[in-house]
Amino acid sequence: MSNASYDIFIESAEKKYAFQLWINEEIEQAMIMDMRDTNTGYKLTKEATAELKKKVLMRP
């Protein structure tokens, strides 16, 4: 598997989360993985991927 495009860290007062995200212009569906379970990746829907591309890749 290639290196992730992004490492995402989310922290609240009670919990911390860490994810890796694979996304780029060429792929139709992004993938996300919880860094606590590196054996399992989750493919995002085409709709979710399109929405993330707008926000993360600054695509119109």
Side-chain angles (χ1 to χ4, degrees):
M1 182 179 294
S2 64
N3 292 334
S5 308
Y6 296 92
D7 292 332
I8 302 167
F9 300 95
I10 302 170
E11 186 174 342
S12 70
E14 299 86 28
K15 295 185 180 184
K16 293 180 182 180
Y17 301 93
F19 300 95
Q20 289 190 307
L21 175 66
W22 285 260
I23 189 170
N24 63 50
E25 287 294 336
E26 291 79 38
I27 61 172
E28 196 170 77
Q29 289 182 271
M31 187 178 87
I32 195 163
M33 180 180 64
D34 187 331
M35 288 188 197
R36 294 173 297 175
D37 179 12
T38 58
N39 293 316
T40 306
Y42 300 93
K43 196 176 267 193
L44 301 179
T45 65
K46 292 177 184 178
E47 294 80 13
T49 299
E51 192 64 33
L52 274 175
K53 283 181 179 181
K54 289 179 192 174
K55 295 177 185 329
V56 175
L57 304 178
M58 306 301 276
R59 189 171 125 190

